[in-house]
Amino acid sequence: MNASVAHSSDQPVIGVDEALEIVRAALRDWPAEIRATWGALTLYALAAAIAARYGGSPLTAPVATTVHVATASLAYGALYRRAFGRPLGPLGLQFGLPEARVLGASALVAIVLLFASVLAFIAIGAIALGLVMAVNPTGFNAGSEADWRAAFSGPLGFFVALPPLLSLAGLIWLALRLSVAPAASVAEDKLQALAVFPVTRGAAFGLLVITAILGAPMLLASAAATALGRAPGAPHWLASAALGAAFAFYAAPVWTGALAGVYQRLRPASAAGN
Protein backbone atom coordinates (compact mmCIF):
# COMPACT_ATOMS: atom_id res chain seq x y z
CA MET A 1 0.00 0.00 0.00
CA ASN A 2 1.10 3.53 -0.78
CA ALA A 3 0.78 6.57 1.46
CA SER A 4 -0.78 8.55 -1.35
CA VAL A 5 -4.37 9.62 -1.46
CA ALA A 6 -6.49 9.58 -4.57
CA HIS A 7 -6.75 12.87 -6.42
CA SER A 8 -10.21 14.36 -6.37
CA SER A 9 -11.85 15.96 -9.38
CA ASP A 10 -13.06 18.75 -7.09
CA GLN A 11 -10.86 21.52 -5.77
CA PRO A 12 -8.29 19.65 -3.63
CA VAL A 13 -8.19 20.58 0.04
CA ILE A 14 -5.85 19.66 2.88
CA GLY A 15 -7.82 20.36 6.04
CA VAL A 16 -7.60 18.66 9.40
CA ASP A 17 -9.54 15.57 8.29
CA GLU A 18 -7.43 15.17 5.16
CA ALA A 19 -4.24 15.73 7.17
CA LEU A 20 -5.21 13.02 9.66
CA GLU A 21 -6.06 10.66 6.80
CA ILE A 22 -2.66 11.28 5.21
CA VAL A 23 -0.88 10.74 8.55
CA ARG A 24 -2.70 7.44 9.10
CA ALA A 25 -1.81 6.29 5.56
CA ALA A 26 1.85 7.21 6.06
CA LEU A 27 2.02 5.33 9.37
CA ARG A 28 0.32 2.26 7.88
CA ASP A 29 2.83 2.21 5.03
CA TRP A 30 5.82 2.88 7.31
CA PRO A 31 6.93 -0.78 7.82
CA ALA A 32 6.68 -1.54 4.11
CA GLU A 33 8.78 1.53 3.28
CA ILE A 34 11.52 0.35 5.62
CA ARG A 35 11.51 -3.17 4.17
CA ALA A 36 11.84 -1.86 0.61
CA THR A 37 14.58 0.71 1.26
CA TRP A 38 16.42 -0.42 4.39
CA GLY A 39 19.82 -0.41 2.67
CA ALA A 40 19.58 3.29 1.81
CA LEU A 41 18.06 4.05 5.21
CA THR A 42 20.90 2.29 7.01
CA LEU A 43 23.50 4.40 5.19
CA TYR A 44 21.49 7.49 6.06
CA ALA A 45 21.30 6.45 9.72
CA LEU A 46 25.08 6.01 9.88
CA ALA A 47 25.70 9.36 8.18
CA ALA A 48 23.17 11.14 10.41
CA ALA A 49 24.88 9.67 13.48
CA ILE A 50 28.26 10.85 12.24
CA ALA A 51 26.88 14.32 11.50
CA ALA A 52 25.32 14.50 14.98
CA ARG A 53 28.59 13.43 16.59
CA TYR A 54 31.12 15.37 14.51
CA GLY A 55 29.06 18.12 12.80
CA GLY A 56 30.05 20.69 15.41
CA SER A 57 33.78 20.53 14.77
CA PRO A 58 35.26 22.89 12.14
CA LEU A 59 37.66 20.14 11.05
CA THR A 60 35.15 17.34 10.54
CA ALA A 61 31.93 19.27 9.84
CA PRO A 62 32.43 19.66 6.05
CA VAL A 63 33.00 15.94 5.50
CA ALA A 64 30.25 14.89 7.92
CA THR A 65 27.78 17.31 6.32
CA THR A 66 28.65 16.22 2.77
CA VAL A 67 28.19 12.55 3.61
CA HIS A 68 24.94 13.34 5.45
CA VAL A 69 23.50 15.26 2.47
CA ALA A 70 24.55 12.57 -0.02
CA THR A 71 23.03 9.70 1.96
CA ALA A 72 19.90 11.74 2.71
CA SER A 73 19.41 12.23 -1.03
CA LEU A 74 19.87 8.50 -1.53
CA ALA A 75 17.36 7.61 1.19
CA TYR A 76 14.72 10.19 0.30
CA GLY A 77 15.14 9.43 -3.39
CA ALA A 78 14.50 5.73 -2.73
CA LEU A 79 11.44 6.51 -0.64
CA TYR A 80 9.99 8.83 -3.28
CA ARG A 81 10.79 6.29 -6.01
CA ARG A 82 8.66 3.79 -4.16
CA ALA A 83 5.89 6.29 -3.42
CA PHE A 84 5.52 7.27 -7.08
CA GLY A 85 6.16 3.88 -8.67
CA ARG A 86 9.65 4.57 -10.03
CA PRO A 87 12.19 1.72 -10.48
CA LEU A 88 13.81 0.91 -7.14
CA GLY A 89 17.28 -0.56 -6.77
CA PRO A 90 18.18 -3.43 -4.43
CA LEU A 91 17.37 -2.34 -0.87
CA GLY A 92 16.84 1.17 -2.22
CA LEU A 93 20.51 1.53 -3.15
CA GLN A 94 20.73 3.54 -6.36
CA PHE A 95 21.54 7.09 -7.40
CA GLY A 96 19.92 8.52 -10.49
CA LEU A 97 17.74 11.37 -11.65
CA PRO A 98 15.15 11.04 -8.84
CA GLU A 99 17.86 11.36 -6.18
CA ALA A 100 19.46 14.28 -8.05
CA ARG A 101 16.07 15.99 -8.29
CA VAL A 102 15.43 15.50 -4.57
CA LEU A 103 18.81 17.06 -3.83
CA GLY A 104 18.26 19.91 -6.29
CA ALA A 105 14.73 20.69 -5.10
CA SER A 106 15.84 20.67 -1.45
CA ALA A 107 18.73 23.01 -2.28
CA LEU A 108 16.46 25.42 -4.17
CA VAL A 109 13.95 25.50 -1.31
CA ALA A 110 16.79 26.14 1.15
CA ILE A 111 18.01 29.05 -1.01
CA VAL A 112 14.50 30.55 -1.19
CA LEU A 113 14.09 30.28 2.59
CA LEU A 114 17.55 31.76 3.18
CA PHE A 115 16.76 34.69 0.88
CA ALA A 116 13.41 35.24 2.62
CA SER A 117 15.13 35.07 6.03
CA VAL A 118 17.66 37.72 5.01
CA LEU A 119 14.91 40.02 3.75
CA ALA A 120 12.95 39.44 6.97
CA PHE A 121 16.03 40.23 9.07
CA ILE A 122 16.62 43.48 7.19
CA ALA A 123 12.94 44.45 7.48
CA ILE A 124 12.86 43.66 11.21
CA GLY A 125 15.97 45.77 11.80
CA ALA A 126 14.56 48.69 9.83
CA ILE A 127 11.20 48.53 11.64
CA ALA A 128 12.85 48.26 15.06
CA LEU A 129 15.17 51.17 14.33
CA GLY A 130 12.28 53.25 12.99
CA LEU A 131 10.15 52.63 16.08
CA VAL A 132 12.99 53.40 18.48
CA MET A 133 13.97 56.56 16.62
CA ALA A 134 10.34 57.69 16.52
CA VAL A 135 10.09 57.39 20.31
CA ASN A 136 13.63 58.60 21.02
CA PRO A 137 14.44 61.05 18.23
CA THR A 138 17.42 62.47 20.14
CA GLY A 139 20.01 60.96 22.37
CA PHE A 140 19.71 57.42 20.96
CA ASN A 141 22.88 55.69 19.81
CA ALA A 142 22.09 52.81 17.41
CA GLY A 143 25.54 51.34 18.10
CA SER A 144 25.01 51.18 21.85
CA GLU A 145 23.74 47.93 23.34
CA ALA A 146 22.71 49.77 26.50
CA ASP A 147 20.53 52.19 24.49
CA TRP A 148 18.81 49.29 22.71
CA ARG A 149 18.12 47.52 26.01
CA ALA A 150 16.72 50.70 27.52
CA ALA A 151 14.49 51.23 24.48
CA PHE A 152 13.13 47.68 24.62
CA SER A 153 12.55 47.70 28.38
CA GLY A 154 9.48 49.90 28.11
CA PRO A 155 6.12 49.47 26.32
CA LEU A 156 7.95 49.77 23.00
CA GLY A 157 9.39 46.29 23.53
CA PHE A 158 5.99 44.72 22.85
CA PHE A 159 5.67 46.42 19.46
CA VAL A 160 9.27 45.65 18.54
CA ALA A 161 8.66 41.96 19.29
CA LEU A 162 5.73 41.72 16.84
CA PRO A 163 7.69 41.95 13.55
CA PRO A 164 10.05 39.05 14.44
CA LEU A 165 7.11 36.87 15.47
CA LEU A 166 5.20 37.71 12.30
CA SER A 167 8.33 37.10 10.21
CA LEU A 168 8.84 33.71 11.85
CA ALA A 169 5.23 32.78 11.14
CA GLY A 170 5.70 33.87 7.53
CA LEU A 171 8.86 31.78 7.12
CA ILE A 172 7.11 28.71 8.57
CA TRP A 173 4.19 29.27 6.19
CA LEU A 174 6.58 29.57 3.23
CA ALA A 175 8.49 26.43 4.26
CA LEU A 176 5.23 24.47 4.52
CA ARG A 177 4.05 25.67 1.11
CA LEU A 178 7.35 24.58 -0.49
CA SER A 179 7.78 21.33 1.45
CA VAL A 180 6.31 19.16 -1.33
CA ALA A 181 8.95 20.32 -3.86
CA PRO A 182 11.05 17.11 -3.65
CA ALA A 183 7.93 14.94 -3.98
CA ALA A 184 6.76 16.98 -6.98
CA SER A 185 10.21 16.77 -8.58
CA VAL A 186 10.13 12.96 -8.52
CA ALA A 187 6.45 12.70 -9.46
CA GLU A 188 6.77 15.01 -12.47
CA ASP A 189 10.28 13.90 -13.51
CA LYS A 190 11.53 17.48 -13.50
CA LEU A 191 12.98 19.84 -10.93
CA GLN A 192 10.33 21.71 -8.93
CA ALA A 193 10.64 24.45 -6.36
CA LEU A 194 8.58 27.64 -6.64
CA ALA A 195 6.37 25.80 -9.15
CA VAL A 196 4.69 23.98 -6.23
CA PHE A 197 3.60 27.24 -4.62
CA PRO A 198 0.29 27.46 -6.51
CA VAL A 199 -0.31 23.74 -5.94
CA THR A 200 -0.19 24.10 -2.15
CA ARG A 201 -2.50 27.10 -2.01
CA GLY A 202 -4.75 26.69 1.02
CA ALA A 203 -2.82 23.65 2.29
CA ALA A 204 -0.50 25.34 4.80
CA PHE A 205 -2.63 24.59 7.85
CA GLY A 206 -3.05 20.93 6.90
CA LEU A 207 0.70 20.65 6.35
CA LEU A 208 1.25 22.26 9.76
CA VAL A 209 -1.00 19.63 11.36
CA ILE A 210 0.91 16.84 9.61
CA THR A 211 4.25 18.33 10.65
CA ALA A 212 3.15 18.70 14.29
CA ILE A 213 1.85 15.12 14.55
CA LEU A 214 4.75 13.42 12.80
CA GLY A 215 7.36 15.74 14.31
CA ALA A 216 6.35 15.24 17.94
CA PRO A 217 8.08 11.81 18.25
CA MET A 218 11.27 13.32 16.83
CA LEU A 219 11.24 16.01 19.52
CA LEU A 220 10.96 13.27 22.13
CA ALA A 221 13.72 11.27 20.43
CA SER A 222 15.99 14.32 20.37
CA ALA A 223 15.33 15.00 24.05
CA ALA A 224 15.98 11.34 24.90
CA ALA A 225 19.21 11.32 22.87
CA THR A 226 20.38 14.49 24.62
CA ALA A 227 19.65 12.97 28.03
CA LEU A 228 21.40 9.76 26.99
CA GLY A 229 24.45 11.67 25.85
CA ARG A 230 24.69 13.43 29.22
CA ALA A 231 24.24 10.28 31.29
CA PRO A 232 27.31 9.44 33.40
CA GLY A 233 29.41 6.74 31.77
CA ALA A 234 27.37 6.60 28.56
CA PRO A 235 29.45 6.21 25.36
CA HIS A 236 29.56 9.41 23.32
CA TRP A 237 28.49 7.63 20.15
CA LEU A 238 25.36 6.07 21.65
CA ALA A 239 23.20 9.20 21.61
CA SER A 240 24.33 10.06 18.08
CA ALA A 241 23.53 6.55 16.86
CA ALA A 242 20.07 6.65 18.46
CA LEU A 243 19.30 10.02 16.89
CA GLY A 244 20.57 8.89 13.49
CA ALA A 245 18.37 5.80 13.64
CA ALA A 246 15.34 7.92 14.57
CA PHE A 247 15.91 10.21 11.60
CA ALA A 248 16.47 7.40 9.11
CA PHE A 249 13.98 4.75 10.21
CA TYR A 250 11.18 6.98 11.49
CA ALA A 251 11.33 10.58 10.26
CA ALA A 252 12.40 9.93 6.67
CA PRO A 253 9.84 7.19 5.82
CA VAL A 254 6.79 8.74 7.48
CA TRP A 255 7.59 12.29 6.33
CA THR A 256 8.20 11.14 2.76
CA GLY A 257 5.04 9.06 2.77
CA ALA A 258 3.01 11.98 4.10
CA LEU A 259 4.36 14.49 1.57
CA ALA A 260 3.81 12.01 -1.26
CA GLY A 261 0.22 11.70 -0.04
CA VAL A 262 -0.18 15.47 0.13
CA TYR A 263 1.14 15.95 -3.39
CA GLN A 264 -1.04 13.17 -4.79
CA ARG A 265 -4.07 14.92 -3.35
CA LEU A 266 -3.04 18.37 -4.56
CA ARG A 267 -1.47 17.30 -7.83
CA PRO A 268 -2.97 19.19 -10.79
CA ALA A 269 -5.20 17.04 -13.00
CA SER A 270 -3.08 17.87 -16.06
CA ALA A 271 0.07 16.61 -14.31
CA ALA A 272 -1.63 13.54 -12.89
CA GLY A 273 -2.65 12.48 -16.37
CA ASN A 274 0.90 12.57 -17.72
Side-chain angles (χ1 to χ4, degrees):
M1 178 178 167
N2 193 300
S4 37
V5 180
H7 177 78
S8 171
S9 59
D10 299 327
Q11 179 68 31
V13 174
I14 303 292
V16 174
D17 291 341
E18 291 79 11
L20 294 177
E21 182 183 349
I22 288 169
V23 167
R24 286 192 293 266
L27 292 175
R28 284 195 302 267
D29 199 41
W30 176 23
E33 288 183 293
I34 293 176
R35 287 194 297 270
T37 61
W38 69 264
L41 296 180
T42 300
L43 289 181
Y44 179 39
L46 293 173
I50 292 171
R53 179 70 180 88
Y54 299 104
S57 169
L59 295 177
T60 57
V63 175
T65 302
T66 300
V67 173
H68 188 198
V69 170
T71 56
S73 302
L74 190 73
Y76 280 90
L79 291 164
Y80 280 125
R81 279 177 183 265
R82 180 181 176 276
F84 293 108
R86 300 297 185 268
L88 189 63
L91 308 179
L93 294 170
Q94 72 284 297
F95 194 94
L97 287 177
E99 289 72 27
R101 290 181 180 121
V102 167
L103 179 59
S106 301
L108 288 175
V109 170
I111 291 171
V112 170
L113 292 176
L114 177 62
F115 182 70
S117 300
V118 171
L119 290 180
F121 180 79
I122 294 173
I124 290 169
I127 292 171
L129 182 60
L131 288 172
V132 172
M133 293 300 292
V135 176
N136 303 287
T138 59
F140 177 77
N141 180 8
S144 170
E145 182 179 350
D147 282 9
W148 279 104
R149 286 182 178 177
F152 291 162
S153 63
L156 184 63
F158 171 77
F159 296 100
V160 173
L162 287 179
L165 292 176
L166 293 175
S167 297
L168 178 60
L171 289 172
I172 292 173
W173 173 81
L174 180 61
L176 291 170
R177 291 286 301 274
L178 297 177
S179 61
V180 301
S185 298
V186 175
E188 310 306 333
D189 296 318
K190 60 182 178 182
L191 195 61
Q192 306 273 299
L194 291 177
V196 305
F197 202 74
V199 178
T200 55
R201 184 172 56 248
F205 183 72
L207 283 163
L208 181 62
V209 172
I210 293 170
T211 302
I213 294 174
L214 296 181
M218 280 306 303
L219 293 178
L220 295 176
S222 298
T226 301
L228 183 64
R230 293 175 178 173
H236 290 298
W237 57 265
L238 191 56
S240 300
L243 196 57
F247 271 110
F249 292 102
Y250 167 74
V254 298
W255 181 240
T256 304
L259 290 182
V262 168
Y263 186 70
Q264 285 286 67
R265 182 177 287 271
L266 299 176
R267 193 177 188 185
S270 58
N274 290 339

